[in-house]
Amino acid sequence: MKHKNSIISSFKVALKGLKIAFISEKNIKIHSIIALLTLILSFICQLSTIEIAIILLCIGIVISLELINTALESFLNLYSTQYNSTIKNIKDIAAASVLFISTIAFTIGCVIFIPKCLKYIELWK
């Protein structure tokens, strides 16, 4: 029984962390809204199972990196409240990782969605 409780409490802690990040971080909210809109568009465009899996993977990676970036920034803020160029560089590099994967995810989205959207535009002509 103890093993079950530890799994359940692990899920509760993780969900609490997700809730804290969602409430306190603007970028998590932005990524979540974009993810929801992307999933809605995925169903409207009738993406294949593989295409939806790729979209879900991109969403998961972007939001996961944003969560890690948020946790790292919070940790570094505990370390020092004064300006520190090394801490600034660490935060900038972590933010760059989110920007990089978001750009890749956006590009993948364009590769998947643009041909589908062009088909719908041609049907309206």
Side-chain angles (χ1 to χ4, degrees), residues 15-34 63 67 70:
L15 289 173
K16 183 179 178 183
L18 190 59
K19 179 182 175 183
I20 291 167
F22 188 80
I23 289 169
S24 64
E25 292 298 319
K26 178 183 69 169
N27 288 341
I28 296 285
K29 290 176 191 169
I30 292 169
H31 287 300
S32 297
I33 290 167
I34 292 169
I63 291 177
L67 290 167
T70 298

PDB file of all heavy atoms in Angstrom, residues 15-34 63 67 70:
ATOM      1  N   LEU A  15       1.314  17.943  -9.934  1.00  0.00           N
ATOM      2  CA  LEU A  15       0.180  18.764 -10.359  1.00  0.00           C
ATOM      3  C   LEU A  15       0.161  20.099  -9.614  1.00  0.00           C
ATOM      4  O   LEU A  15      -0.186  21.133 -10.193  1.00  0.00           O
ATOM      5  CB  LEU A  15      -1.131  18.015 -10.160  1.00  0.00           C
ATOM      6  CG  LEU A  15      -1.357  16.852 -11.123  1.00  0.00           C
ATOM      7  CD1 LEU A  15      -2.609  16.064 -10.730  1.00  0.00           C
ATOM      8  CD2 LEU A  15      -1.464  17.337 -12.563  1.00  0.00           C
ATOM      9  N   LYS A  16       0.563  20.084  -8.352  1.00  0.00           N
ATOM     10  CA  LYS A  16       0.659  21.325  -7.590  1.00  0.00           C
ATOM     11  C   LYS A  16       1.715  22.242  -8.209  1.00  0.00           C
ATOM     12  O   LYS A  16       1.508  23.448  -8.341  1.00  0.00           O
ATOM     13  CB  LYS A  16       0.994  21.031  -6.128  1.00  0.00           C
ATOM     14  CG  LYS A  16       1.034  22.272  -5.262  1.00  0.00           C
ATOM     15  CD  LYS A  16       1.353  21.929  -3.814  1.00  0.00           C
ATOM     16  CE  LYS A  16       1.433  23.195  -2.990  1.00  0.00           C
ATOM     17  NZ  LYS A  16       1.814  22.914  -1.599  1.00  0.00           N
ATOM     18  N   GLY A  17       2.845  21.671  -8.603  1.00  0.00           N
ATOM     19  CA  GLY A  17       3.892  22.451  -9.258  1.00  0.00           C
ATOM     20  C   GLY A  17       3.411  23.054 -10.566  1.00  0.00           C
ATOM     21  O   GLY A  17       3.692  24.219 -10.879  1.00  0.00           O
ATOM     22  N   LEU A  18       2.652  22.275 -11.337  1.00  0.00           N
ATOM     23  CA  LEU A  18       2.094  22.769 -12.596  1.00  0.00           C
ATOM     24  C   LEU A  18       1.123  23.921 -12.332  1.00  0.00           C
ATOM     25  O   LEU A  18       1.140  24.941 -13.023  1.00  0.00           O
ATOM     26  CB  LEU A  18       1.404  21.625 -13.339  1.00  0.00           C
ATOM     27  CG  LEU A  18       0.968  21.872 -14.766  1.00  0.00           C
ATOM     28  CD1 LEU A  18       2.152  22.247 -15.646  1.00  0.00           C
ATOM     29  CD2 LEU A  18       0.287  20.634 -15.318  1.00  0.00           C
ATOM     30  N   LYS A  19       0.307  23.760 -11.298  1.00  0.00           N
ATOM     31  CA  LYS A  19      -0.654  24.809 -10.925  1.00  0.00           C
ATOM     32  C   LYS A  19       0.078  26.085 -10.499  1.00  0.00           C
ATOM     33  O   LYS A  19      -0.275  27.183 -10.943  1.00  0.00           O
ATOM     34  CB  LYS A  19      -1.560  24.312  -9.794  1.00  0.00           C
ATOM     35  CG  LYS A  19      -2.568  25.320  -9.325  1.00  0.00           C
ATOM     36  CD  LYS A  19      -3.401  24.763  -8.178  1.00  0.00           C
ATOM     37  CE  LYS A  19      -4.331  25.815  -7.611  1.00  0.00           C
ATOM     38  NZ  LYS A  19      -5.081  25.312  -6.454  1.00  0.00           N
ATOM     39  N   ILE A  20       1.109  25.938  -9.684  1.00  0.00           N
ATOM     40  CA  ILE A  20       1.892  27.102  -9.231  1.00  0.00           C
ATOM     41  C   ILE A  20       2.505  27.821 -10.426  1.00  0.00           C
ATOM     42  O   ILE A  20       2.432  29.046 -10.533  1.00  0.00           O
ATOM     43  CB  ILE A  20       2.989  26.669  -8.231  1.00  0.00           C
ATOM     44  CG1 ILE A  20       2.356  26.224  -6.916  1.00  0.00           C
ATOM     45  CG2 ILE A  20       3.992  27.793  -7.999  1.00  0.00           C
ATOM     46  CD1 ILE A  20       3.314  25.489  -5.995  1.00  0.00           C
ATOM     47  N   ALA A  21       3.095  27.064 -11.329  1.00  0.00           N
ATOM     48  CA  ALA A  21       3.723  27.666 -12.514  1.00  0.00           C
ATOM     49  C   ALA A  21       2.683  28.356 -13.378  1.00  0.00           C
ATOM     50  O   ALA A  21       2.908  29.471 -13.869  1.00  0.00           O
ATOM     51  CB  ALA A  21       4.470  26.599 -13.313  1.00  0.00           C
ATOM     52  N   PHE A  22       1.528  27.722 -13.560  1.00  0.00           N
ATOM     53  CA  PHE A  22       0.486  28.299 -14.409  1.00  0.00           C
ATOM     54  C   PHE A  22      -0.051  29.597 -13.812  1.00  0.00           C
ATOM     55  O   PHE A  22      -0.288  30.566 -14.524  1.00  0.00           O
ATOM     56  CB  PHE A  22      -0.650  27.301 -14.635  1.00  0.00           C
ATOM     57  CG  PHE A  22      -1.649  27.770 -15.652  1.00  0.00           C
ATOM     58  CD1 PHE A  22      -1.385  27.637 -17.008  1.00  0.00           C
ATOM     59  CD2 PHE A  22      -2.836  28.367 -15.265  1.00  0.00           C
ATOM     60  CE1 PHE A  22      -2.293  28.094 -17.957  1.00  0.00           C
ATOM     61  CE2 PHE A  22      -3.761  28.819 -16.204  1.00  0.00           C
ATOM     62  CZ  PHE A  22      -3.477  28.676 -17.557  1.00  0.00           C
ATOM     63  N   ILE A  23      -0.231  29.613 -12.508  1.00  0.00           N
ATOM     64  CA  ILE A  23      -0.768  30.806 -11.849  1.00  0.00           C
ATOM     65  C   ILE A  23       0.256  31.943 -11.844  1.00  0.00           C
ATOM     66  O   ILE A  23      -0.091  33.098 -12.073  1.00  0.00           O
ATOM     67  CB  ILE A  23      -1.219  30.472 -10.403  1.00  0.00           C
ATOM     68  CG1 ILE A  23      -2.478  29.603 -10.445  1.00  0.00           C
ATOM     69  CG2 ILE A  23      -1.465  31.737  -9.591  1.00  0.00           C
ATOM     70  CD1 ILE A  23      -2.860  29.005  -9.113  1.00  0.00           C
ATOM     71  N   SER A  24       1.518  31.606 -11.623  1.00  0.00           N
ATOM     72  CA  SER A  24       2.516  32.660 -11.395  1.00  0.00           C
ATOM     73  C   SER A  24       3.309  33.079 -12.634  1.00  0.00           C
ATOM     74  O   SER A  24       3.918  34.145 -12.624  1.00  0.00           O
ATOM     75  CB  SER A  24       3.492  32.217 -10.300  1.00  0.00           C
ATOM     76  OG  SER A  24       4.233  31.080 -10.721  1.00  0.00           O
ATOM     77  N   GLU A  25       3.315  32.282 -13.670  1.00  0.00           N
ATOM     78  CA  GLU A  25       4.180  32.573 -14.813  1.00  0.00           C
ATOM     79  C   GLU A  25       3.390  32.888 -16.078  1.00  0.00           C
ATOM     80  O   GLU A  25       2.655  32.046 -16.591  1.00  0.00           O
ATOM     81  CB  GLU A  25       5.122  31.393 -15.083  1.00  0.00           C
ATOM     82  CG  GLU A  25       6.155  31.188 -14.008  1.00  0.00           C
ATOM     83  CD  GLU A  25       7.099  32.362 -13.848  1.00  0.00           C
ATOM     84  OE1 GLU A  25       7.530  32.947 -14.862  1.00  0.00           O
ATOM     85  OE2 GLU A  25       7.407  32.699 -12.688  1.00  0.00           O
ATOM     86  N   LYS A  26       3.583  34.089 -16.579  1.00  0.00           N
ATOM     87  CA  LYS A  26       2.888  34.541 -17.792  1.00  0.00           C
ATOM     88  C   LYS A  26       3.241  33.659 -18.989  1.00  0.00           C
ATOM     89  O   LYS A  26       2.358  33.299 -19.779  1.00  0.00           O
ATOM     90  CB  LYS A  26       3.267  36.001 -18.069  1.00  0.00           C
ATOM     91  CG  LYS A  26       2.661  36.577 -19.331  1.00  0.00           C
ATOM     92  CD  LYS A  26       3.138  38.006 -19.579  1.00  0.00           C
ATOM     93  CE  LYS A  26       4.597  37.966 -19.929  1.00  0.00           C
ATOM     94  NZ  LYS A  26       5.193  39.164 -20.424  1.00  0.00           N
ATOM     95  N   ASN A  27       4.504  33.284 -19.137  1.00  0.00           N
ATOM     96  CA  ASN A  27       4.922  32.506 -20.312  1.00  0.00           C
ATOM     97  C   ASN A  27       4.294  31.116 -20.348  1.00  0.00           C
ATOM     98  O   ASN A  27       4.000  30.599 -21.428  1.00  0.00           O
ATOM     99  CB  ASN A  27       6.449  32.407 -20.378  1.00  0.00           C
ATOM    100  CG  ASN A  27       7.072  33.727 -20.762  1.00  0.00           C
ATOM    101  OD1 ASN A  27       6.411  34.612 -21.303  1.00  0.00           O
ATOM    102  ND2 ASN A  27       8.348  33.885 -20.473  1.00  0.00           N
ATOM    103  N   ILE A  28       4.081  30.513 -19.183  1.00  0.00           N
ATOM    104  CA  ILE A  28       3.405  29.210 -19.134  1.00  0.00           C
ATOM    105  C   ILE A  28       1.972  29.371 -19.651  1.00  0.00           C
ATOM    106  O   ILE A  28       1.472  28.534 -20.409  1.00  0.00           O
ATOM    107  CB  ILE A  28       3.388  28.635 -17.701  1.00  0.00           C
ATOM    108  CG1 ILE A  28       4.805  28.350 -17.212  1.00  0.00           C
ATOM    109  CG2 ILE A  28       2.509  27.391 -17.612  1.00  0.00           C
ATOM    110  CD1 ILE A  28       5.473  27.142 -17.778  1.00  0.00           C
ATOM    111  N   LYS A  29       1.316  30.445 -19.250  1.00  0.00           N
ATOM    112  CA  LYS A  29      -0.054  30.710 -19.714  1.00  0.00           C
ATOM    113  C   LYS A  29      -0.065  30.889 -21.231  1.00  0.00           C
ATOM    114  O   LYS A  29      -0.923  30.336 -21.929  1.00  0.00           O
ATOM    115  CB  LYS A  29      -0.623  31.955 -19.037  1.00  0.00           C
ATOM    116  CG  LYS A  29      -0.905  31.771 -17.579  1.00  0.00           C
ATOM    117  CD  LYS A  29      -1.367  33.084 -16.965  1.00  0.00           C
ATOM    118  CE  LYS A  29      -1.387  32.961 -15.455  1.00  0.00           C
ATOM    119  NZ  LYS A  29      -1.575  34.229 -14.783  1.00  0.00           N
ATOM    120  N   ILE A  30       0.877  31.668 -21.740  1.00  0.00           N
ATOM    121  CA  ILE A  30       0.956  31.914 -23.185  1.00  0.00           C
ATOM    122  C   ILE A  30       1.176  30.606 -23.938  1.00  0.00           C
ATOM    123  O   ILE A  30       0.470  30.308 -24.908  1.00  0.00           O
ATOM    124  CB  ILE A  30       2.059  32.942 -23.510  1.00  0.00           C
ATOM    125  CG1 ILE A  30       1.675  34.325 -22.968  1.00  0.00           C
ATOM    126  CG2 ILE A  30       2.335  32.995 -25.012  1.00  0.00           C
ATOM    127  CD1 ILE A  30       2.800  35.335 -22.991  1.00  0.00           C
ATOM    128  N   HIS A  31       2.152  29.808 -23.490  1.00  0.00           N
ATOM    129  CA  HIS A  31       2.426  28.524 -24.154  1.00  0.00           C
ATOM    130  C   HIS A  31       1.218  27.597 -24.077  1.00  0.00           C
ATOM    131  O   HIS A  31       0.922  26.871 -25.039  1.00  0.00           O
ATOM    132  CB  HIS A  31       3.657  27.840 -23.545  1.00  0.00           C
ATOM    133  CG  HIS A  31       4.951  28.477 -23.915  1.00  0.00           C
ATOM    134  ND1 HIS A  31       5.385  28.600 -25.211  1.00  0.00           N
ATOM    135  CD2 HIS A  31       5.925  29.043 -23.145  1.00  0.00           C
ATOM    136  CE1 HIS A  31       6.556  29.201 -25.234  1.00  0.00           C
ATOM    137  NE2 HIS A  31       6.903  29.491 -23.993  1.00  0.00           N
ATOM    138  N   SER A  32       0.508  27.602 -22.959  1.00  0.00           N
ATOM    139  CA  SER A  32      -0.662  26.739 -22.797  1.00  0.00           C
ATOM    140  C   SER A  32      -1.797  27.157 -23.738  1.00  0.00           C
ATOM    141  O   SER A  32      -2.459  26.303 -24.335  1.00  0.00           O
ATOM    142  CB  SER A  32      -1.148  26.761 -21.349  1.00  0.00           C
ATOM    143  OG  SER A  32      -0.155  26.230 -20.504  1.00  0.00           O
ATOM    144  N   ILE A  33      -2.011  28.451 -23.873  1.00  0.00           N
ATOM    145  CA  ILE A  33      -3.051  28.943 -24.788  1.00  0.00           C
ATOM    146  C   ILE A  33      -2.700  28.587 -26.227  1.00  0.00           C
ATOM    147  O   ILE A  33      -3.541  28.100 -26.982  1.00  0.00           O
ATOM    148  CB  ILE A  33      -3.263  30.464 -24.615  1.00  0.00           C
ATOM    149  CG1 ILE A  33      -3.920  30.739 -23.258  1.00  0.00           C
ATOM    150  CG2 ILE A  33      -4.098  31.044 -25.748  1.00  0.00           C
ATOM    151  CD1 ILE A  33      -3.897  32.195 -22.828  1.00  0.00           C
ATOM    152  N   ILE A  34      -1.438  28.797 -26.599  1.00  0.00           N
ATOM    153  CA  ILE A  34      -1.000  28.441 -27.954  1.00  0.00           C
ATOM    154  C   ILE A  34      -1.153  26.932 -28.172  1.00  0.00           C
ATOM    155  O   ILE A  34      -1.594  26.495 -29.238  1.00  0.00           O
ATOM    156  CB  ILE A  34       0.449  28.907 -28.205  1.00  0.00           C
ATOM    157  CG1 ILE A  34       0.503  30.447 -28.253  1.00  0.00           C
ATOM    158  CG2 ILE A  34       1.014  28.301 -29.487  1.00  0.00           C
ATOM    159  CD1 ILE A  34       1.900  31.021 -28.240  1.00  0.00           C
ATOM    160  N   ILE A  63       6.611  23.191 -23.256  1.00  0.00           N
ATOM    161  CA  ILE A  63       6.106  23.471 -21.909  1.00  0.00           C
ATOM    162  C   ILE A  63       7.042  22.906 -20.839  1.00  0.00           C
ATOM    163  O   ILE A  63       7.292  23.550 -19.819  1.00  0.00           O
ATOM    164  CB  ILE A  63       4.654  22.976 -21.751  1.00  0.00           C
ATOM    165  CG1 ILE A  63       3.741  23.852 -22.624  1.00  0.00           C
ATOM    166  CG2 ILE A  63       4.211  23.016 -20.288  1.00  0.00           C
ATOM    167  CD1 ILE A  63       2.283  23.460 -22.655  1.00  0.00           C
ATOM    168  N   LEU A  67       8.872  25.056 -17.955  1.00  0.00           N
ATOM    169  CA  LEU A  67       8.794  24.718 -16.529  1.00  0.00           C
ATOM    170  C   LEU A  67      10.193  24.625 -15.905  1.00  0.00           C
ATOM    171  O   LEU A  67      10.422  25.125 -14.798  1.00  0.00           O
ATOM    172  CB  LEU A  67       8.030  23.408 -16.331  1.00  0.00           C
ATOM    173  CG  LEU A  67       6.532  23.453 -16.610  1.00  0.00           C
ATOM    174  CD1 LEU A  67       5.959  22.036 -16.694  1.00  0.00           C
ATOM    175  CD2 LEU A  67       5.812  24.273 -15.560  1.00  0.00           C
ATOM    176  N   THR A  70      11.568  28.102 -15.555  1.00  0.00           N
ATOM    177  CA  THR A  70      10.922  28.774 -14.423  1.00  0.00           C
ATOM    178  C   THR A  70      11.514  28.299 -13.098  1.00  0.00           C
ATOM    179  O   THR A  70      11.824  29.114 -12.215  1.00  0.00           O
ATOM    180  CB  THR A  70       9.399  28.510 -14.457  1.00  0.00           C
ATOM    181  OG1 THR A  70       8.873  29.061 -15.666  1.00  0.00           O
ATOM    182  CG2 THR A  70       8.698  29.118 -13.263  1.00  0.00           C
TER     183      THR A  70
END
